[in-house]
Amino acid sequence: TARVYAETFDDGSHDECGIDFFEVRRMSPGCGYYTNFGPYVEFSCCDIADNPIMVVMRVTDISGNTNECLVEVTSQDKLPALVVCPPNITISCEFPYDMNDLSLFGTVHELDSLSQINNPATDPRDSIILDDIGNPYTSGPTFYGLDGYAFDNCDVTVSVQEYEDLEQCGEGKIYRTFTAEGPGGPSTSCTQIITITNYDPFNGETDILWPNDTTITGGCSLDDIHPDITGRPIVDEDACDQVAISQPDDWIFNFDDPNEPGCYTVLRKWKVIDWCDFRDGQYTIYEHQQVIKVVNNGAPEITDGCDDVSICSYDNQCANAFIDLEIQATDDCTPFEDLDITYDIDAFNNGTFDFDETFNPLADPDNGPNMASGTYPCLLYT
């Protein structure tokens, strides 16, 4: 409250015989005050909302004569409000929170008196305890301090503004600015900072499980080496990582050695990047080469043309005769046109091969690689 004596309102009152005393009263009984004359009037925070307040000053001379005038009074709160924020807190980017309700990080209580603080019977502040903030150096519930508080010599009102300032990877800060304001008095603000950090940054040396080298037996189709079958990199990332896996870059090498059971080998290169890991002006890229061998142990199968053939000549001179020699074959890995087909012919049945696919003057020149058709010499059986 503020007590103002009647003489304060005087601005030059006088009397030819002399002034005896001054009195003052309120015009209306606002805020519960009486309207009787007295040596002073009192004002309180309640009056701020009713400004201006009208008072009556009365001057009485030594003969008992009186005169009155009206004075407007404006009541002001000159003391700034006091506000103390909850403590700053650091949490992991994996810690769940709701921007629409950040009360788990504490709040600010409006006090009627500073004597409420540190008195177990009257202190309204609660403890700020978080179960698990993702810090690998702490475990279980952690105590971070008490709620904040605000006080003003008049009534105090607290408002809060909250906003996020996060990078694309989720790290950054949440700012909570609490403003305490009395009725008509200067306001005061403080800011609580919630720091969001990545306690466990992505590490390509330990957080990537690369697919194993593998050998596929009996399959030759490219579908058999699809990553769904041969495996993909498996990454262990958290909410502050942005890990991307490239499409595989395949280098395919066929086997030309007939003694080698493999069909082909695939050198598959994988690349993994964390878009949050930007150091020294560049991103860190992790690479791995996976070796995939495709093995076919099944030999080609001749499906037609391998039956014995007898051609009879009824010429008494046993003239040469045309023999149709053609085979068909199949393989589960190699198309027919890519099969390597060879032949050797013992034309005179004497244990010596006379013709082969590289030299056969008796064969039809229009033959394909799987054909040895031509005019062959007749053998006389006796």
Side-chain angles (χ1 to χ4, degrees):
T1 58
R3 178 175 295 181
V4 184
Y5 286 86
E7 289 82 357
T8 303
F9 301 103
D10 178 47
D11 192 23
S13 301
H14 61 277
D15 185 84
E16 66 274 13
C17 294
I19 294 176
D20 187 7
F21 59 89
F22 293 87
E23 293 177 296
V24 66
R25 71 176 180 87
R26 299 171 69 107
M27 281 284 291
S28 61
C31 296
Y33 288 107
Y34 295 109
T35 58
N36 301 330
F37 277 108
Y40 59 83
V41 288
E42 290 183 330
F43 301 93
S44 67
C45 295
C46 173
D47 289 309
I48 296 176
D50 295 329
N51 284 326
I53 302 106
M54 194 69 70
V55 300
V56 181
M57 183 188 71
R58 174 186 288 176
V59 182
T60 303
D61 65 11
I62 58 176
S63 298
N65 301 310
T66 65
N67 205 349
E68 299 176 353
C69 68
L70 299 178
V71 181
E72 286 186 349
V73 176
T74 300
S75 179
Q76 297 178 340
D77 179 11
K78 293 294 188 179
L79 298 179
L82 168 68
V83 61
V84 176
C85 274
N88 294 335
I89 294 174
T90 299
I91 61 173
S92 166
C93 52
E94 295 185 290
F95 186 84
Y97 65 89
D98 182 0
M99 278 301 297
N100 295 317
D101 182 10
L102 297 176
S103 58
L104 75 165
F105 300 121
T107 188
V108 170
H109 296 270
E110 300 169 355
L111 301 181
D112 296 326
S113 169
L114 286 176
S115 63
Q116 292 179 256
I117 297 298
N118 298 324
N119 184 339
T122 59
D123 195 336
R125 296 176 298 169
D126 294 321
S127 298
I128 302 173
I129 300 176
L130 302 180
D131 287 339
D132 184 3
I133 63 167
N135 187 340
Y137 304 106
T138 63
S139 61
T142 304
F143 171 73
Y144 287 92
L146 298 175
D147 289 335
Y149 62 88
F151 173 77
D152 187 72
N153 54 299
C154 295
D155 292 336
V156 65
T157 301
V158 177
S159 61
V160 60
Q161 289 185 322
E162 302 166 327
Y163 73 94
E164 289 178 300
D165 183 17
L166 303 182
E167 300 174 353
Q168 66 173 3
C169 296
E171 293 186 274
K173 291 178 171 58
I174 300 173
Y175 296 92
R176 306 178 71 204
T177 299
F178 295 88
T179 300
E181 187 173 10
S187 63
T188 306
S189 298
C190 67
T191 300
Q192 179 195 30
I193 300 177
I194 311 299
T195 301
I196 301 174
T197 188
N198 189 356
Y199 284 112
D200 184 21
F202 182 78
N203 183 347
E205 302 300 328
T206 58
D207 293 335
I208 303 176
L209 180 61
W210 298 106
N212 294 325
D213 295 343
T214 186
T215 298
I216 296 177
T217 302
C220 294
S221 169
L222 292 179
D223 292 338
D224 296 321
I225 61 170
H226 193 278
D228 290 346
I229 297 175
T230 58
R232 304 175 184 271
I234 300 174
V235 298
D236 182 13
E237 59 178 320
D238 58 34
C240 282
D241 301 322
Q242 288 188 2
V243 180
I245 303 173
S246 70
Q247 292 295 322
D249 184 14
D250 288 350
W251 293 76
I252 300 178
F253 298 90
N254 294 313
F255 286 96
D256 294 329
D257 186 354
N259 297 317
E260 175 62 50
C263 286
Y264 56 88
T265 294
V266 179
L267 300 182
R268 175 168 291 171
K269 179 173 287 188
W270 293 99
K271 295 182 179 181
V272 175
I273 188 172
D274 179 13
W275 294 111
C276 299
D277 186 7
F278 187 76
R279 291 175 288 179
D280 299 327
Q282 62 184 359
Y283 292 99
T284 301
I285 299 177
Y286 303 93
E287 298 184 5
H288 175 76
Q289 181 171 278
Q290 179 188 18
V291 179
I292 303 171
K293 290 185 178 181
V294 179
V295 176
N296 175 28
N297 293 322
E301 178 184 356
I302 298 177
T303 58
D304 186 38
C306 229
D307 296 331
D308 292 342
V309 177
S310 294
I311 302 297
C312 293
S313 173
Y314 297 99
D315 183 84
N316 57 3
Q317 297 299 319
C318 191
N320 295 342
F322 182 85
I323 303 176
D324 186 8
L325 297 176
E326 178 181 348
I327 66 166
Q328 297 294 327
T330 185
D331 186 75
D332 56 1
C333 281
T334 306
F336 176 76
E337 58 270 17
D338 292 334
L339 289 174
D340 187 11
I341 301 175
T342 63
Y343 64 82
D344 294 285
I345 298 177
D346 178 6
F348 301 100
N349 197 26
N350 59 7
T352 300
F353 290 117
D354 304 287
F355 309 122
D356 58 31
E357 76 279 4
T358 61
F359 175 75
N360 187 356
L362 302 179
D364 189 333
D366 295 329
N367 285 343
N370 62 316
M371 302 171 66
S373 301
T375 301
Y376 288 93
C378 177
L379 295 179
L380 294 175
Y381 288 94
T382 59

